[in-house]
Amino acid sequence: MGEHAIQSSMTEEGRRGFMRALLEDVRALESMIERGWFEDGIRRIGAEQELFLIDRGMRPANGAPAMLELLDPEFFTNELGQFNLEVNLSPADLGGTCLSDLESQLIELVGEARRVARSMDMDVVMAGILPTLRKEHLTLDAMTPSPRFRQLNQVMRELRGGDFRTLIKGTDELQTTHDNVMLEACNTSFQVHFQVAPHEFAKLYNLAQLVTAPVLASAVNSPVLLRHRLWHETRVALFQQSLDTRSDTHTKRSARTRVSFGDEWIDDSVLEIFRTDIARFRVLLGADLEEHPDSVIARGGVPTLKALRLHNGTVYRWNRPCYGISQTPEGPKPHLRIENRVLPAGPTIIDEVANAAFFFGLMCAFGDRMDDVRKFMSFDRAKENFMASARYGLKARFHWIGGKTVSADDLILTELLPAAREGLRNHGIAAEDVERYCGVLEERVSKGRTGAQWVFDSLESLGAQPADQRSKTLVAAMVRHQAEELPVARWPLADPGGRDRASYRTVGQVMQTDLLTSHPEDLIDLTASVMDWHKIRYVPVEDHEGSLVGLITHRRILRHMAKRKANEPLAVREVMNPDPVTIGPDEETMRAIELMREHKVGCLPVVQEGKLVGIVTEADFIYLAAELLDRWLREE
């Protein structure tokens, strides 16, 4: 996300001053384009790799600040969360061995990050969303201590007018609220850059919008968030909602969100995007500005356009235009590039480079074939394809050029992958690199084994293991396979194996969360029937707000049924224990066992801030004991 000299707070006068500087930057950009100052006639690529840091228990580790003291600042920087790290790769001219060079540098830099992390009892993992993330990891204490991030959180929350709400429906449904922007830190990506000239920007930007859907469909790797199975690329929904600054009023009138695919093709210039974003999105951050851009231009210099770049960094288009300065033999030259932000981190470096090769290849091929994509497809169709790919990955169906409807995997294998191969070859990419990376992608699509599908299949194979253990098993397998640098198409499913001690230290790791509950005014006969149908002995009683108000046990029902008059309707509140023994999710598992022995009870409702979050029973501990005994006997 980059660092700037951020003002710790902004007055309205300061905001107006920054807006004036922003408008001056736009005019300077327009002037430089008109004068033909921009670097032209060259294709240059680049990339940014985001990583998760994890501890020995496969949970997020807030170690980035300490690691950055030992890493080269030319390549490594921080991200929003202290459990994230960003790696910036060197730009390269498109051609020759640029792709294998990109892979080699990634292996070297990620390897260096891994070495430093392991020296601090941590590790690194590439995952679009880390499966072991939980809501308690997303506090302000885990935010990188940076004025930029603190101010961004404060201003976005003020604009939102309260908590951020998230609702994502997939295989499961996730509905939650959060009081800060740290949900955004759940997302990590492999962002790729494609340098273009101003005169071709509109054409190539529209092409990037067109090809993003099939590229994403083949690359999805973020299916689980906070233990919920959601979209194949959940980052798309989460990123938009976690940074949604619209008030309820703005939402009702369908105001645009800061994270978006866009709403229309562009016609002529990059200026259209910058002007639209300035008009629609309020300035969030201020900075100590530099010399007036006109003064820099007047003496033949290249202005940094700091205000424009800072504002652009707070509008999160999935294909984002970027302004930069290249150091050429003739001196500094401004350039434009398209930053594709949609690709997730992982599953492996070779998978990521294959994804990048697919994107670059399609940009080259369609750039050679198409003069104007607007003649072949409506923008709404391109946007529908993008959303379908995020939801369903290779199982998506696209409305494609020529009016046909086709599955993502068929389109990629029969039409787009051959086009990408052609585009890469025609732009001078080494033949062995073309076959290596397109071969990785072809195998993945042919087998239907994206990173997301591997996670879904692994979760199914792990069966009834507790959610915490399944998540840790997934991450452990990711770490192992990434170290082997084996493409995801060849990964075996995550092995259940035996769990380690860290997997059941706390109540939250072993409790049941898929609960059948009663309300105090329910008919007791209904609760008794539910207990009989589902062969359960304990039912928590909660009010409409989810607060625990009692507990129904099989024994209490038998006792009251024996005493009540025939056909006498009893409410749950007349039978329940109104003051059951409870425990918190973060308490030690051994403490739960001690409480159950001490009070001679067979279950403990698990409560956090008065709200029912789970239940732990003697059956859970019998299951754990049997598993441990089985492991012990097999090891003998």
Side-chain angles (χ1 to χ4, degrees):
M1 296 179 72
E3 276 296 327
H4 299 270
I6 303 299
Q7 297 172 358
S8 59
S9 61
M10 281 188 77
T11 63
E12 286 305 314
E13 182 179 358
R15 195 181 304 276
R16 288 191 294 271
F18 186 84
M19 178 56 72
R20 186 182 303 112
L22 186 53
L23 296 175
E24 290 166 352
D25 279 359
V26 173
R27 286 192 288 269
L29 175 62
E30 183 177 17
S31 174
M32 287 189 288
I33 291 174
E34 290 174 350
R35 298 183 188 197
W37 279 20
F38 276 76
E39 191 172 20
D40 199 350
I42 188 170
R43 286 277 182 270
R44 193 174 285 119
I45 64 171
E48 301 168 29
Q49 173 75 69
E50 296 172 350
L51 302 169
F52 278 106
L53 306 180
I54 55 173
D55 61 19
R56 279 185 154 186
M58 303 295 142
R59 297 160 298 210
N62 295 332
M67 284 184 62
L68 287 170
E69 294 181 7
L70 302 176
L71 293 168
D72 187 344
E74 179 182 353
F75 300 107
F76 296 92
T77 189
N78 55 32
E79 262 292 340
L80 177 61
Q82 293 188 51
F83 47 76
N84 298 136
L85 196 66
E86 181 180 297
V87 186
N88 294 298
L89 284 85
S90 304
D93 293 351
L94 182 66
T97 59
C98 67
L99 294 175
S100 52
D101 292 343
L102 177 67
E103 182 185 2
S104 296
Q105 189 180 27
L106 264 174
I107 291 171
E108 178 184 352
L109 292 175
V110 173
E112 177 65 9
R114 182 174 288 116
R115 183 191 66 78
V116 172
R118 287 178 175 176
S119 73
M120 298 180 172
D121 212 23
M122 297 183 293
D123 210 333
V124 299
V125 65
M126 293 175 289
I129 298 174
L130 187 68
T132 49
L133 272 167
R134 297 176 64 178
K135 200 170 178 180
E136 54 262 36
H137 298 133
L138 306 175
T139 66
L140 290 179
D141 289 339
M143 181 182 286
T144 296
S146 157
R148 171 186 171 89
F149 298 136
R150 293 287 177 174
Q151 186 182 348
L152 198 64
N153 178 72
Q154 177 185 341
V155 175
M156 284 190 160
R157 182 169 165 77
E158 289 172 356
L159 288 175
R160 181 72 187 84
D163 291 346
F164 296 87
R165 294 190 289 269
T166 300
L167 172 60
I168 307 174
K169 296 181 179 181
T171 304
D172 304 321
E173 177 179 311
L174 173 65
Q175 184 169 230
T176 187
T177 59
H178 207 55
D179 62 1
N180 61 60
V181 299
M182 281 294 289
L183 272 170
E184 191 270 326
C186 295
N187 302 290
T188 62
S189 62
F190 179 65
Q191 299 171 20
V192 295
H193 298 250
F194 191 72
Q195 185 173 321
V196 301
H199 68 86
E200 61 182 358
F201 183 89
K203 167 188 170 179
L204 292 176
Y205 185 83
N206 288 341
L207 279 179
Q209 296 282 75
L210 172 72
V211 305
T212 286
V215 171
L216 176 60
S218 67
V220 287
N221 191 38
S222 311
V224 173
L225 171 63
L226 304 182
R227 298 182 178 179
H228 291 70
R229 299 162 298 169
L230 302 171
W231 294 9
H232 282 245
E233 193 53 42
T234 303
R235 287 171 51 253
V236 170
L238 174 62
F239 200 28
Q240 177 176 321
Q241 296 184 38
S242 64
L243 294 180
D244 189 356
T245 58
R246 298 174 300 171
S247 66
D248 290 341
T249 299
H250 291 133
T251 300
K252 288 175 183 176
R253 69 169 190 248
S254 300
R256 294 186 185 179
T257 57
R258 282 186 178 265
V259 179
S260 77
F261 184 75
D263 293 288
E264 57 193 359
W265 301 121
I266 64 171
D267 296 321
D268 300 304
S269 170
V270 66
L271 291 165
E272 296 170 40
I273 299 176
F274 288 134
R275 288 168 177 164
T276 296
D277 291 346
I278 291 170
R280 290 190 175 276
F281 301 114
R282 184 177 173 86
V283 168
L284 298 183
L285 302 173
D288 298 326
L289 300 173
E290 298 168 346
E291 186 178 2
H292 194 291
D294 288 349
S295 300
V296 178
I297 291 173
R299 65 168 188 269
V302 179
T304 61
L305 305 188
K306 186 174 183 178
L308 179 63
R309 292 164 69 186
L310 183 58
H311 183 263
N312 189 49
T314 64
V315 181
Y316 308 93
R317 291 176 179 261
W318 289 110
N319 282 300
R320 182 161 66 180
C322 293
Y323 168 87
I325 301 174
S326 303
Q327 299 301 322
T328 73
E330 295 79 29
K333 267 188 169 288
H335 71 252
L336 294 176
R337 62 187 187 275
I338 298 167
E339 179 187 59
N340 183 288
R341 304 169 53 81
V342 76
L343 294 175
T348 63
I349 288 173
I350 192 171
D351 283 306
E352 291 180 327
V353 179
N355 297 337
F358 191 30
F359 176 73
F360 296 142
L362 289 178
M363 290 294 291
C364 292
F366 284 1
D368 293 340
R369 296 177 185 180
M370 286 187 187
D371 178 56
D372 188 349
V373 67
R374 296 174 298 178
K375 299 175 183 177
F376 301 95
M377 185 182 291
S378 71
F379 185 86
D380 287 346
R381 289 300 195 195
K383 189 172 184 177
E384 287 171 11
N385 292 341
F386 171 71
M387 296 307 298
S389 67
R391 286 179 179 271
Y392 306 116
L394 291 173
K395 299 173 184 176
R397 293 193 66 80
F398 293 157
H399 300 285
W400 199 246
I401 295 169
K404 62 184 176 184
T405 301
V406 60
S407 65
D409 53 355
D410 282 348
L411 179 66
I412 292 168
L413 291 173
T414 61
E415 183 176 335
L416 298 186
L417 196 51
R421 278 189 165 102
E422 176 188 328
L424 293 171
R425 289 194 194 104
N426 290 345
H427 284 256
I429 301 297
E432 57 270 30
D433 282 5
V434 174
E435 290 312 307
R436 172 176 166 79
Y437 300 114
C438 290
V440 166
L441 193 76
E442 184 173 21
E443 182 181 12
R444 186 197 310 161
V445 177
S446 298
K447 291 182 176 179
R449 177 56 67 80
T450 60
Q453 195 60 54
W454 177 84
V455 170
F456 282 135
D457 292 345
S458 292
L459 286 173
E460 184 177 356
S461 74
L462 293 172
Q465 284 195 12
D468 187 75
Q469 175 64 13
R470 291 199 303 270
S471 298
K472 290 181 177 180
T473 300
L474 285 175
V475 177
M478 289 176 184
V479 173
R480 184 169 61 255
H481 295 319
Q482 286 170 14
E484 296 166 349
E485 195 51 33
L486 194 68
V488 72
R490 302 176 192 174
W491 285 13
L493 297 183
D495 181 6
R499 66 176 72 189
D500 57 19
R501 293 182 182 180
S503 299
Y504 42 72
R505 286 191 182 279
T506 66
V507 170
Q509 294 172 303
V510 299
M511 70 184 183
Q512 303 170 45
T513 58
D514 183 15
L515 306 179
L516 293 169
T517 65
S518 288
H519 184 271
E521 299 306 321
D522 285 348
L523 183 69
I524 191 63
D525 300 73
L526 170 63
T527 301
S529 296
V530 168
M531 294 172 76
D532 179 52
W533 297 337
H534 292 274
K535 304 297 186 290
I536 55 178
R537 299 176 61 82
Y538 310 99
V539 174
V541 185
E542 60 180 344
D543 62 19
H544 292 305
E545 284 72 46
S547 298
L548 181 73
V549 295
L551 179 71
I552 290 288
T553 68
H554 187 259
R555 181 176 297 177
R556 292 183 76 89
I557 286 181
L558 290 177
R559 185 182 304 137
H560 280 79
M561 289 293 186
K563 294 180 179 178
R564 78 170 180 176
K565 299 176 183 178
N567 298 321
E568 178 187 8
L570 285 178
V572 165
R573 59 178 167 75
E574 299 177 74
V575 179
M576 71 183 189
N577 174 5
D579 188 27
V581 183
T582 65
I583 195 166
D586 296 324
E587 293 197 53
E588 295 287 331
T589 303
M590 284 305 302
R591 177 57 181 158
I593 295 173
E594 291 168 0
L595 283 173
M596 292 169 73
R597 286 173 175 168
E598 178 184 343
H599 293 277
K600 296 182 173 59
V601 294
C603 86
L604 297 173
V606 185
V607 176
Q608 190 169 39
E609 297 179 355
K611 304 295 184 182
L612 178 69
V613 296
I615 191 171
V616 63
T617 72
E618 72 265 270
D620 298 316
F621 294 120
I622 291 172
Y623 172 83
L624 289 177
E627 183 179 280
L628 290 170
L629 180 60
D630 180 71
R631 280 182 61 191
W632 179 71
L633 291 173
R634 290 177 185 274
E635 290 170 0
E636 285 294 312

